[in-house]
Short mmCIF file of all heavy atoms in Angstrom, two decimals:
data_model
loop_
_atom_site.label_atom_id
_atom_site.label_comp_id
_atom_site.label_asym_id
_atom_site.label_seq_id
_atom_site.Cartn_x
_atom_site.Cartn_y
_atom_site.Cartn_z
N SER A 138 -168.88 37.02 -143.54
CA SER A 138 -167.68 37.84 -143.75
C SER A 138 -167.41 38.81 -142.60
O SER A 138 -166.43 39.56 -142.64
CB SER A 138 -167.82 38.63 -145.05
OG SER A 138 -168.96 39.47 -145.02
N GLY A 139 -168.28 38.81 -141.59
CA GLY A 139 -168.07 39.72 -140.46
C GLY A 139 -168.42 41.15 -140.75
O GLY A 139 -167.86 42.07 -140.16
N HIS A 140 -169.38 41.37 -141.67
CA HIS A 140 -169.86 42.71 -141.97
C HIS A 140 -171.22 43.00 -141.33
O HIS A 140 -171.74 44.11 -141.47
CB HIS A 140 -169.96 42.91 -143.49
CG HIS A 140 -168.62 43.00 -144.15
ND1 HIS A 140 -167.94 41.91 -144.65
CD2 HIS A 140 -167.81 44.07 -144.40
CE1 HIS A 140 -166.79 42.30 -145.17
NE2 HIS A 140 -166.68 43.60 -145.03
N ALA A 141 -171.81 42.01 -140.69
CA ALA A 141 -173.08 42.17 -139.99
C ALA A 141 -173.15 41.15 -138.87
O ALA A 141 -172.39 40.17 -138.86
CB ALA A 141 -174.26 41.98 -140.95
N SER A 142 -174.04 41.39 -137.91
CA SER A 142 -174.22 40.46 -136.79
C SER A 142 -175.67 40.02 -136.74
O SER A 142 -176.57 40.68 -137.26
CB SER A 142 -173.82 41.13 -135.47
OG SER A 142 -174.61 42.29 -135.24
N LEU A 143 -175.90 38.89 -136.10
CA LEU A 143 -177.26 38.36 -135.94
C LEU A 143 -178.08 39.27 -135.04
O LEU A 143 -177.60 39.77 -134.02
CB LEU A 143 -177.18 36.96 -135.32
CG LEU A 143 -178.50 36.32 -134.88
CD1 LEU A 143 -179.37 36.01 -136.08
CD2 LEU A 143 -178.22 35.05 -134.10
N TYR A 144 -179.34 39.49 -135.43
CA TYR A 144 -180.27 40.27 -134.60
C TYR A 144 -181.61 39.54 -134.61
O TYR A 144 -182.34 39.55 -135.59
CB TYR A 144 -180.41 41.70 -135.15
CG TYR A 144 -180.77 42.71 -134.08
CD1 TYR A 144 -179.84 43.06 -133.11
CD2 TYR A 144 -182.02 43.30 -134.05
CE1 TYR A 144 -180.15 43.99 -132.13
CE2 TYR A 144 -182.34 44.24 -133.07
CZ TYR A 144 -181.40 44.58 -132.11
OH TYR A 144 -181.72 45.50 -131.14
N TRP A 145 -181.92 38.91 -133.52
CA TRP A 145 -183.07 38.00 -133.39
C TRP A 145 -184.39 38.74 -133.22
O TRP A 145 -184.46 39.77 -132.55
CB TRP A 145 -182.84 37.09 -132.19
CG TRP A 145 -183.93 36.10 -131.91
CD1 TRP A 145 -184.04 34.84 -132.41
CD2 TRP A 145 -185.04 36.28 -131.02
NE1 TRP A 145 -185.16 34.21 -131.90
CE2 TRP A 145 -185.80 35.08 -131.04
CE3 TRP A 145 -185.49 37.34 -130.22
CZ2 TRP A 145 -186.96 34.91 -130.29
CZ3 TRP A 145 -186.64 37.18 -129.48
CH2 TRP A 145 -187.36 35.97 -129.51
N PHE A 146 -185.44 38.19 -133.86
CA PHE A 146 -186.81 38.64 -133.62
C PHE A 146 -187.68 37.40 -133.45
O PHE A 146 -187.43 36.36 -134.08
CB PHE A 146 -187.33 39.50 -134.78
CG PHE A 146 -186.77 40.90 -134.78
CD1 PHE A 146 -185.75 41.25 -135.64
CD2 PHE A 146 -187.26 41.85 -133.89
CE1 PHE A 146 -185.22 42.54 -135.61
CE2 PHE A 146 -186.74 43.14 -133.86
CZ PHE A 146 -185.72 43.48 -134.73
N PRO A 147 -188.72 37.47 -132.60
CA PRO A 147 -189.50 36.27 -132.26
C PRO A 147 -190.27 35.66 -133.41
O PRO A 147 -190.60 34.47 -133.36
CB PRO A 147 -190.45 36.77 -131.16
CG PRO A 147 -190.52 38.25 -131.34
CD PRO A 147 -189.16 38.64 -131.82
N ASP A 148 -190.56 36.42 -134.46
CA ASP A 148 -191.33 35.86 -135.57
C ASP A 148 -190.45 35.24 -136.65
O ASP A 148 -190.96 34.79 -137.68
CB ASP A 148 -192.24 36.92 -136.19
CG ASP A 148 -191.48 38.07 -136.81
OD1 ASP A 148 -190.30 38.25 -136.49
OD2 ASP A 148 -192.08 38.79 -137.63
N HIS A 149 -189.15 35.19 -136.42
CA HIS A 149 -188.25 34.59 -137.39
C HIS A 149 -188.26 33.07 -137.24
O HIS A 149 -188.19 32.55 -136.12
CB HIS A 149 -186.83 35.12 -137.22
CG HIS A 149 -186.66 36.52 -137.72
ND1 HIS A 149 -187.69 37.41 -137.80
CD2 HIS A 149 -185.56 37.17 -138.20
CE1 HIS A 149 -187.24 38.56 -138.29
NE2 HIS A 149 -185.96 38.43 -138.54
N PRO A 150 -188.32 32.32 -138.34
CA PRO A 150 -188.32 30.86 -138.27
C PRO A 150 -187.08 30.33 -137.56
O PRO A 150 -185.97 30.85 -137.72
CB PRO A 150 -188.33 30.43 -139.75
CG PRO A 150 -188.88 31.60 -140.48
CD PRO A 150 -188.41 32.81 -139.73
N ALA A 151 -187.27 29.28 -136.76
CA ALA A 151 -186.15 28.69 -136.03
C ALA A 151 -185.05 28.21 -136.97
O ALA A 151 -183.86 28.31 -136.66
CB ALA A 151 -186.65 27.54 -135.16
N GLU A 152 -185.45 27.71 -138.13
CA GLU A 152 -184.47 27.21 -139.10
C GLU A 152 -183.58 28.34 -139.59
O GLU A 152 -182.36 28.16 -139.74
CB GLU A 152 -185.22 26.56 -140.28
CG GLU A 152 -184.32 26.00 -141.38
CD GLU A 152 -183.93 27.03 -142.43
OE1 GLU A 152 -184.68 28.01 -142.60
OE2 GLU A 152 -182.86 26.88 -143.04
N LEU A 153 -184.16 29.51 -139.84
CA LEU A 153 -183.38 30.66 -140.28
C LEU A 153 -182.39 31.08 -139.20
O LEU A 153 -181.20 31.31 -139.47
CB LEU A 153 -184.31 31.81 -140.65
CG LEU A 153 -183.67 33.12 -141.12
CD1 LEU A 153 -184.58 33.82 -142.13
CD2 LEU A 153 -183.41 34.07 -139.94
N ILE A 154 -182.86 31.17 -137.97
CA ILE A 154 -181.98 31.58 -136.86
C ILE A 154 -180.84 30.60 -136.68
O ILE A 154 -179.69 30.99 -136.45
CB ILE A 154 -182.79 31.73 -135.57
CG1 ILE A 154 -183.83 32.85 -135.69
CG2 ILE A 154 -181.87 31.99 -134.38
CD1 ILE A 154 -183.24 34.22 -135.98
N SER A 155 -181.13 29.30 -136.79
CA SER A 155 -180.08 28.29 -136.65
C SER A 155 -179.01 28.46 -137.72
O SER A 155 -177.80 28.35 -137.44
CB SER A 155 -180.68 26.88 -136.75
OG SER A 155 -181.55 26.63 -135.66
N ARG A 156 -179.43 28.73 -138.95
CA ARG A 156 -178.47 28.96 -140.03
C ARG A 156 -177.60 30.17 -139.74
O ARG A 156 -176.38 30.15 -139.91
CB ARG A 156 -179.20 29.17 -141.36
CG ARG A 156 -179.69 27.93 -142.04
CD ARG A 156 -180.16 28.24 -143.46
NE ARG A 156 -181.44 28.90 -143.52
CZ ARG A 156 -181.64 30.13 -143.99
NH1 ARG A 156 -180.61 30.86 -144.41
NH2 ARG A 156 -182.85 30.66 -144.04
N TYR A 157 -178.25 31.24 -139.30
CA TYR A 157 -177.52 32.48 -139.04
C TYR A 157 -176.53 32.33 -137.89
O TYR A 157 -175.41 32.86 -137.94
CB TYR A 157 -178.50 33.61 -138.74
CG TYR A 157 -179.23 34.18 -139.95
CD1 TYR A 157 -179.22 33.52 -141.18
CD2 TYR A 157 -179.93 35.37 -139.85
CE1 TYR A 157 -179.89 34.04 -142.27
CE2 TYR A 157 -180.60 35.91 -140.95
CZ TYR A 157 -180.58 35.24 -142.15
OH TYR A 157 -181.25 35.76 -143.24
N ILE A 158 -176.93 31.63 -136.84
CA ILE A 158 -176.01 31.42 -135.71
C ILE A 158 -174.78 30.64 -136.17
O ILE A 158 -173.64 30.99 -135.82
CB ILE A 158 -176.72 30.68 -134.56
CG1 ILE A 158 -177.78 31.59 -133.91
CG2 ILE A 158 -175.70 30.23 -133.50
CD1 ILE A 158 -178.60 30.90 -132.84
N ALA A 159 -175.00 29.60 -136.96
CA ALA A 159 -173.87 28.79 -137.44
C ALA A 159 -172.91 29.62 -138.27
O ALA A 159 -171.68 29.51 -138.12
CB ALA A 159 -174.40 27.60 -138.25
N VAL A 160 -173.44 30.46 -139.15
CA VAL A 160 -172.60 31.29 -140.01
C VAL A 160 -171.86 32.33 -139.17
O VAL A 160 -170.67 32.60 -139.39
CB VAL A 160 -173.47 31.98 -141.09
CG1 VAL A 160 -172.65 33.01 -141.85
CG2 VAL A 160 -174.02 30.94 -142.06
N GLN A 161 -172.54 32.91 -138.18
CA GLN A 161 -171.90 33.91 -137.34
C GLN A 161 -170.77 33.29 -136.50
O GLN A 161 -169.72 33.91 -136.32
CB GLN A 161 -172.94 34.57 -136.42
CG GLN A 161 -172.34 35.62 -135.50
CD GLN A 161 -173.40 36.51 -134.89
OE1 GLN A 161 -173.77 37.52 -135.45
NE2 GLN A 161 -173.90 36.12 -133.72
N ARG A 162 -171.01 32.09 -135.99
CA ARG A 162 -169.95 31.42 -135.24
C ARG A 162 -168.71 31.20 -136.09
O ARG A 162 -167.58 31.33 -135.61
CB ARG A 162 -170.47 30.07 -134.72
CG ARG A 162 -171.43 30.18 -133.55
CD ARG A 162 -172.00 28.82 -133.17
NE ARG A 162 -172.84 28.91 -131.98
CZ ARG A 162 -173.60 27.92 -131.54
NH1 ARG A 162 -173.62 26.75 -132.18
NH2 ARG A 162 -174.34 28.08 -130.45
#
Side-chain angles (χ1 to χ4, degrees):
S138 59
H140 288 91
S142 59
L143 171 67
Y144 207 70
W145 180 89
F146 284 102
D148 63 342
H149 285 26
E152 180 274 335
L153 179 148
I154 296 300
S155 295
R156 281 191 285 116
Y157 284 14
I158 291 175
V160 171
Q161 180 165 272
R162 286 175 175 171

